[in-house]
Amino acid sequence: MSFYARHFDTVEVNSTFYGQPRASVSASWVRRTPDHFEFSIKLYQKFTHPRMYRERLGRQLAAVTDPDASSAEAIAALATPTAADIDTFKRGIAPLAESGKLGALLAQFPPSFVFGDSQGNYLERLLRAFDGYSLAVELRHRSWSDQIGRAHV
């Protein structure tokens, strides 16, 4: 990290996509980088890629339990983001926020996240959950830009 920080003043952290950030790790980043350095943090996969998260969870559960125990309903319930998940994420990045080194939170949605009422409502709830943070949202399906274009005509 210190080598990188000597040459750049920001980094996108991708590891937080695969697992919730830990405050101890974030605090070590704060200590190992100069005051002006900034971290943009990718949101946890559970928040932006539900299908990918469900598939990974299903594989993990099947590896350690009876296949009948890893039913689709149970996996769907476990894969639904909760307020506790949001709080865990926020606690994990708190050292960055408190030090002034937190850049944007990156909400990168997959191409399968197609514009619709339920997706729009979900995005709105997610944005409210991270109110007070700088957010960058990437919507990869064309339907989002097509819808915005129609709204401005």
Side-chain angles (χ1 to χ4, degrees):
M1 182 63 66
S2 58
F3 173 82
Y4 188 92
R6 283 195 306 269
H7 298 281
F8 302 98
D9 59 4
T10 188
V11 67
E12 175 186 329
V13 178
N14 194 51
S15 62
T16 53
F17 178 77
Y18 298 100
Q20 288 276 34
R22 293 189 324 239
S24 60
V25 173
S26 296
S28 75
W29 295 339
V30 169
R31 286 190 306 272
R32 295 172 22 213
T33 54
D35 291 341
H36 70 279
F37 199 82
E38 201 169 79
F39 295 83
S40 290
I41 306 294
K42 193 175 280 191
L43 288 184
Y44 186 34
Q45 177 184 74
K46 188 174 186 178
F47 304 144
T48 59
H49 287 66
R51 182 176 9 166
M52 184 184 293
Y53 184 82
R54 280 192 309 273
E55 290 169 359
R56 183 174 65 129
L57 186 59
R59 286 190 304 273
Q60 290 171 334
L61 287 175
V64 296
T65 65
D66 178 347
D68 293 336
S70 57
S71 71
E73 297 85 27
I75 291 170
L78 290 169
T80 302
T82 65
D85 294 322
I86 300 286
D87 290 342
T88 298
F89 192 90
K90 289 178 179 179
R91 280 193 309 274
I93 62 173
L96 297 171
E98 292 162 1
S99 70
K101 292 186 175 190
L102 181 60
L105 299 181
L106 308 172
Q108 183 183 61
F109 288 89
S112 60
F113 191 69
V114 177
F115 180 84
D117 288 340
S118 65
Q119 293 83 353
N121 291 335
Y122 178 77
L123 181 57
E124 199 172 301
R125 286 192 310 275
L126 188 65
L127 294 175
R128 271 198 309 271
F130 287 104
D131 187 40
Y133 293 86
S134 293
L135 279 138
V137 178
E138 180 179 350
L139 300 165
R140 295 178 175 176
H141 193 273
R142 174 183 168 167
S143 61
W144 291 92
S145 58
D146 288 352
Q147 188 61 30
I148 291 168
R150 280 201 272 311
H152 292 283
V153 174

